[in-house]
Amino acid sequence: MVNDLKSALAELEAHRPGSLLGLRETQWLDAKKAPYRVADDPKAVEELTKDVAAFANGGGGVIVVGIATRLEHDEEVLDHVVGVDPAAVNADQIRKLIRQRVSPAPRGVRIGWSGAEGDERVLFIEIPAQTDHALFAVPAAVGKPGAPRPDTVAVPMRDGDSTYWLPRAEIVQLLSAGVRASGVPTAQALADLVRQAVSEAGPDSGPRVGQGLPDREREMRAAYEELAGAGLGKPGGEAWAQGAAALQDVRHEVDGEPGWVLCLVPDLPAVVVAEPVWQAIVEAGRRAPGGQDPLAAVGFPRPPAGTAAPWVIPADARRVDLDGGLWGPGHVTCSGRGVWRWQPEPRFSLNQGRSAEIGTGGQTPALRLRALVNLPWAEASTLEINKSRRTQLEQQLPHSAVAGAVTILSRRRGAELPAARWERGPFGNSGRSAGYTCTIAGPDGTPAVTASVMLALPTTMESTVVACADVLIENPEAWALALRPGCDTQLGLDEVQAVLLAAWETAAELLPDVVGGPASLKWAAPPTTELRITSEQPAENGVLPVLDTLVDLGPLGPNDNGPRPKLAVTITAAPAMDRAERQHLLREALVHMAHAFGYVDAEADVL
């Protein structure tokens, strides 16, 4: 049952925003049907900061955006979930406005998303109870574009389900009470305070370097002084902590030039990043699911190797390496058209996703060589496969890399059995999926070798676009008869490598084109490729044969763990790359796989 702030946050974090329906707006709960239009509406900016400051002054609370209310007995009751499009919300801009316009900046403000996959999602802004007994103020509302006036102050307060402005007389009383507590004559002290406020409200006023993070102020000032020659001006707001990092907006010393973000991360040299580049970094992680902090996803700038002194990332930078947050190490690069994109640094693991077994139901090939690419694009639910792109794919498949690899398998054994005829199936075809198969049969019609491809757009069970290319040795005996009687159908390790390379290229580059323009889509998580070599046709006793009977694994050396029916590896890397880079990564991945599965003597030069 939801009856307080703690239980409401628990339901939001469990992605059950509907549990809040029926609640009344209270001292700790406020609901908004639509998001704050902070990008183009000055009044929305003022409303946001007023609401946040009011909860900070009132003991904490939560603002839920995407739930409509109804009026019931003069009270607003949370009525139904309307949802918010994550693309319409810039959480980083909201955080920045709160830091800049609420003084002092409230600590611990958290922005998150709630809602099960496939359901409407709501945004929530949690303002924890503040422990420093400060009075949180904002610039007086003017409702006009431009910077807020520095010579005005207003104090919003929460009263039940509404917010009001603290009257001027009460502000004066609070100031006077504070002065009396200091032991200074009230009238004189208040007059001095007013004169000081007026003098500090001039054009040279503003926070100092490190203000807002007293424990790191000295460290930030030292970094600022070392980097000042890069064109740093005065701070543009108080410093704030984001994870373990200390950050502060800094103006450029030349009016009209883009500002900077001073960034200090433990164990790394301080860096100052030009504002446009910083926004590109934040934007790269903004589509992480669940309202995740963008910088927690992509990480912070990583200096070039050997750099120990504070360094600068200028506005004309075209690549920034990142130390790796939850997404792992990666980098953002800027294209010739000025478009920034995050890509992971290549790495290998044995982790498999939920789609590892997709499309294998009812199949028992003797050998499967598979490349499955997980493409976690943001807003993938809007993608579709239309007729023209499907037709184009059908025309390309006979000339694809995977078709060529299957054809070469037979050609190397003296037969010309091209993978030229592709048919729809056995996977479903619709606006959300595409599947095609090419089968080479033995003389009696028994399937011998099959190549199949599929691409599936997200469903309620899977949030990632999945592209897969399989080559199946269905029946080695039937394949031998189709080639010539007695032909050896065991694959060499070089053939396995060639097939996996072709399957990976097909799944990573040809199939994604069926949705149109994949290069322009942003990531919501790192893309991965899963490579598998499996024997799946059990013997009469139900035991799967070991791979050595179907593939010559001799070049990998002895196996300390004994023969096995499966080998697999996962590559985290950008799906699109040139063929030479893909070949290099494939060799490294296969060595990683071999070592993990007991072939400890395997080396890249044997592949």
Side-chain angles (χ1 to χ4, degrees), residues 460-544:
T460 55
M461 299 297 295
E462 177 57 63
S463 60
T464 295
V465 176
V466 177
C468 178
D470 281 340
V471 173
L472 313 177
I473 308 300
E474 302 269 14
N475 188 314
E477 292 77 16
W479 188 28
L481 292 173
L483 297 166
R484 65 178 187 274
C487 184
D488 183 11
T489 58
Q490 187 186 47
L491 300 187
L493 194 58
D494 59 332
E495 292 180 307
V496 168
Q497 183 179 346
V499 170
L500 288 176
L501 179 67
W504 183 12
E505 182 179 318
T506 300
E509 300 207 40
L510 177 63
L511 297 182
D513 279 342
V514 80
V515 302
S520 65
L521 299 173
K522 305 292 187 180
W523 297 120
T528 59
T529 296
E530 301 173 22
L531 303 179
R532 296 176 60 196
I533 311 169
T534 54
S535 62
E536 300 179 13
Q537 198 170 87
E540 292 183 359
N541 61 2
V543 177
L544 290 173

